[in-house]
Amino acid sequence: MSGRESLEFDVLVVGAGPSGLSAAIRLKQLAQDSGKELSVCVIEKGSEVGAHLLSGAVFEPHALDELIPDWRDKGAPLDTPAKEDRFLFLTEAKAFRLPTPPQMHNAGNFIISLGNLGRWLGQQAEHLGVEIYAGFAGAEVLYDPWGAVKGVATGDMGIGKNGEPTGNHTPGVELHAKQTVFAEGCRGSLTKTLMARFNLRDGVDPQTYGLGIKELWEIDPAKSNPGLIEHSIGWPLTPDTYGGSFLYHLSGNLVSVGFVVGLDYSNPHLSPFEEFQRYKTHPTIRPTFEGGRRLAYGARALSEGGFQSIPKLAFPGGLIVGDGAGFLNVPKIKGNHTAMKSGIVAAEAVFEHLTGGGDDGREVTEYQARLRRSWVWDELYRVRNIRPGFRKGLWAGLANAAYETAVGGRSPWTLHHKHPDHATLKKAGDAPPIAYPKPDGKVSFDRLSSVYLSNTNHEEDQPPHLTLKDAETPIRVNLALYDAPETRYCPAGVYEIVRSGDGGDPRLRINAQNCVHCKTCDIKDLTQNIDWVTPEGGGGPNYPGL
């Protein structure tokens, strides 16, 4: 495009998360070992590497051991070894200790900040010669005349709300590469367009998602128990809604606490944010936070479909890695190790493709073949039936999970995800309303004070990145039939219905400045009328230690 500078690389990686950085590191390791020159570039839409990374996170170091065997000597931020697992079933007033499922045993794992691990991985990549450009959002996939991906263009900076350049306008840059690795994470905006263009989801189940909401607390030192890992199911969710909590004690009197709600829920009155706040008021949970201080807040969607929802992963000129493809092991509640392994495998396949005299325009078919031979494929296959087993409710899901665990995932059948998450909502009149308590400001909070702790910011004078395909659908369909569920499923207060003084003339207001880039609206909007597109690079949340 006119006015854009172009840069050439052997490999371009879009997204500086665990999978993208692992791919970049492995590519440079292979080049170094073979004495070959290979230029690798990583772009990241966050203001810095790690700014947008959010996970629980209990980390399984399997893939890190393979990628950087001496990570301990190099100071990887894995500081809190897992010490004790607890698994609770909550009723409104009580907690019952249940046997911890085998997949959730965490001996040998670590409680970490994924953002801090991402920053460390970024440093390792740069030491190997990877070029990393933070604050640059991939806004457009570029194609060559034969239809193969030839790279991406970063978004223009300094475009006003009216779409015209401002005095601060800086054109985007075209980044061309022989292969482009898309590591955007869950529901990536570019990855979504690739899925459609290359029909990557043909023959696989719809992806199903969860919304994870997380806070970081500093608690009373007398209550700190570094290494304690606690999960719960049950209250406040009803048995027909998939989800549960996590509470992890880190060193330094810190606690990571969060709540995940499956986005295939059916009640349009449900608010995942309010469910999370309500969870913290449980008489067994609340004492952990009394006298403590909330430090940070964030939210992110995660891909829960598992094995049967993995799309075709390679196409002419590019590949998909990490949670953009959906490598989360749901029963383990872990996906960082599998995401990293997918990046490693992708790097090895790309390196072989580029150094073996292959055609630059051809797809790296060996990537998916290699992945099928790796431990990732076997791990996900063995748990493939557990998440879809919950579509008939909590009790049926637990019984199915117990059976699948007993047979080692070797059932002669595969359960399927039958409907995308946006198609599961009942109409408002057909679902029970939910009365949420007001926040107390001590343990439970409102959305706006929470968003403040996410350090979210967007340049106000820019085109909206939350766009509507039809401006009338939110009122004519969403409000009229479903009581505007977007005002509740968004964990950042982006969407609100405003009315004139007499209570009439309802209209949807989009507070894009609040957006924490969780992608829930792009997933759950019932008519798929909301389209999340890339804002200016450097915007969005800036998570400190989440």
Side-chain angles (χ1 to χ4, degrees):
M1 183 177 290
S2 176
R4 284 180 177 168
E5 179 186 358
S6 65
L7 300 173
E8 302 284 340
F9 299 95
D10 291 312
V11 182
L12 171 66
V13 180
V14 183
S19 63
L21 290 170
S22 295
I25 289 169
R26 186 64 183 136
L27 280 163
K28 278 296 192 177
Q29 289 174 338
L30 291 166
Q32 194 174 71
D33 292 346
S34 63
K36 297 181 182 295
E37 289 292 326
L38 195 75
S39 57
V40 181
C41 174
V42 178
I43 60 170
E44 163 58 39
K45 66 181 173 69
S47 60
E48 64 171 350
V49 174
H52 290 178
L53 291 180
L54 178 131
S55 183
V58 176
F59 181 74
E60 182 178 311
H62 190 171
L64 183 59
D65 287 335
E66 295 180 5
L67 182 66
I68 307 175
D70 58 344
W71 56 264
R72 292 172 178 82
D73 297 333
K74 291 183 175 178
L78 277 62
D79 304 319
T80 309
K83 183 178 69 176
E84 179 186 356
D85 293 300
R86 294 179 187 170
F87 186 54
L88 306 178
F89 173 74
L90 302 183
T91 65
E92 188 169 357
K94 295 184 178 180
F96 298 91
R97 182 87 176 262
L98 301 177
T100 301
Q103 299 96 337
M104 298 171 71
H105 290 173
N106 285 294
N109 297 333
F110 297 83
I111 305 172
I112 69 164
S113 157
L114 184 61
N116 290 343
L117 178 62
R119 293 177 181 94
W120 180 83
L121 286 171
Q123 293 169 2
Q124 307 313 304
E126 288 183 319
H127 289 161
L128 289 167
V130 175
E131 297 182 46
I132 300 179
Y133 299 107
F136 289 87
E140 176 189 355
V141 181
L142 303 174
Y143 299 94
D144 68 19
W146 300 274
V149 172
K150 70 171 184 178
V152 304
T154 64
D156 288 7
M157 307 288 280
I159 299 292
K161 285 184 178 180
N162 60 3
E164 297 296 323
T166 68
N168 298 321
H169 176 247
T170 304
V173 178
E174 291 195 0
L175 303 166
H176 299 169
K178 297 171 183 175
Q179 287 291 326
T180 302
V181 179
F182 291 86
E184 295 182 289
C186 179
R187 195 74 168 199
S189 52
L190 299 184
T191 305
K192 185 173 69 170
T193 68
L194 294 165
M195 295 274 190
R197 182 181 181 103
F198 293 108
N199 301 312
L200 302 180
R201 301 210 61 83
D202 284 1
V204 302
D205 285 6
Q207 186 59 266
T208 189
Y209 300 89
L211 171 61
I213 305 174
K214 178 182 176 181
E215 295 174 349
L216 182 68
W217 283 70
E218 182 180 34
I219 63 169
D220 181 346
K223 302 174 182 178
S224 179
N225 188 3
L228 173 62
I229 295 167
E230 184 175 283
H231 295 98
S232 79
I233 54 174
W235 189 89
L237 296 177
T238 56
D240 62 343
T241 300
Y242 182 80
S245 77
F246 62 87
L247 197 158
Y248 305 150
H249 286 247
L250 296 99
S251 56
N253 305 319
L254 297 178
V255 165
S256 291
V257 60
F259 206 79
V260 178
V261 176
L263 289 178
D264 57 350
Y265 68 83
S266 62
N267 189 337
H269 305 295
L270 185 146
S271 165
F273 175 86
E274 299 290 356
E275 298 291 345
F276 174 36
Q277 299 306 315
R278 189 159 61 156
Y279 152 77
K280 290 182 292 172
T281 68
H282 190 277
T284 299
I285 306 302
R286 184 183 186 101
T288 298
F289 303 104
E290 289 179 329
R293 182 167 64 101
R294 192 172 67 143
L295 303 177
Y297 168 86
R300 190 70 172 95
L302 52 151
S303 304
E304 291 186 340
F307 182 83
Q308 50 270 65
S309 296
I310 296 173
K312 188 172 183 289
L313 298 172
F315 41 88
L319 313 86
I320 302 172
V321 298
D323 205 35
F327 292 116
L328 176 69
N329 183 323
V330 174
K332 277 188 177 182
I333 321 178
K334 293 178 184 64
N336 291 313
H337 66 299
T338 48
M340 290 180 67
K341 180 62 173 179
S342 73
I344 293 168
V345 173
E348 291 168 351
V350 167
F351 185 79
E352 181 181 273
H353 179 82
L354 294 181
T355 59
D359 179 357
D360 291 345
R362 289 168 42 201
E363 64 185 73
V364 184
T365 54
E366 183 61 17
Y367 167 42
Q368 196 141 350
R370 282 175 176 258
L371 206 56
R372 288 176 182 275
R373 297 192 296 267
S374 76
W375 52 260
V376 168
W377 213 255
D378 181 64
E379 179 176 321
L380 295 183
Y381 178 81
R382 286 173 177 267
V383 299
R384 71 195 183 285
N385 285 333
I386 292 183
R387 175 63 179 91
F390 282 88
R391 69 171 179 264
K392 294 184 178 180
L394 176 62
W395 306 116
L398 289 175
N400 175 71
Y403 166 77
E404 288 290 336
T405 300
V407 301
R410 297 301 185 188
S411 300
W413 57 78
T414 294
L415 302 179
H416 291 282
H417 307 287
K418 296 185 177 180
H419 306 289
D421 292 343
H422 69 266
T424 61
L425 285 179
K426 297 178 180 177
K427 292 182 179 178
D430 297 332
I434 303 173
Y436 291 110
K438 291 184 178 180
D440 60 20
K442 297 177 181 177
V443 168
S444 59
F445 303 89
D446 62 32
R447 277 185 279 194
L448 292 185
S449 66
S450 300
V451 172
Y452 176 78
L453 291 179
S454 70
N455 299 304
T456 294
N457 185 58
H458 296 89
E459 175 60 47
E460 291 194 29
D461 186 21
Q462 65 172 298
H465 70 279
L466 299 161
T467 63
L468 301 176
K469 297 173 184 175
D470 175 37
E472 296 184 5
T473 295
I475 303 303
R476 180 173 52 84
V477 179
N478 294 26
L479 178 61
L481 301 178
Y482 298 87
D483 195 28
E486 62 269 37
T487 63
R488 288 177 292 280
Y489 60 59
C490 173
V494 169
Y495 301 96
E496 60 177 325
I497 299 295
V498 296
R499 302 175 186 268
S500 58
D502 62 0
D505 188 27
R507 59 197 182 278
L508 180 68
R509 175 186 290 164
I510 301 178
N511 305 302
Q513 180 75 3
N514 291 0
C515 178
V516 295
H517 298 199
C518 74
K519 307 296 182 69
T520 304
C521 57
D522 197 89
I523 295 164
K524 190 62 176 172
D525 182 52
L526 59 103
T527 63
Q528 294 293 276
N529 187 49
I530 298 173
D531 189 22
W532 197 102
V533 297
T534 308
E536 279 192 6
N542 201 324
Y543 293 137
L546 283 185

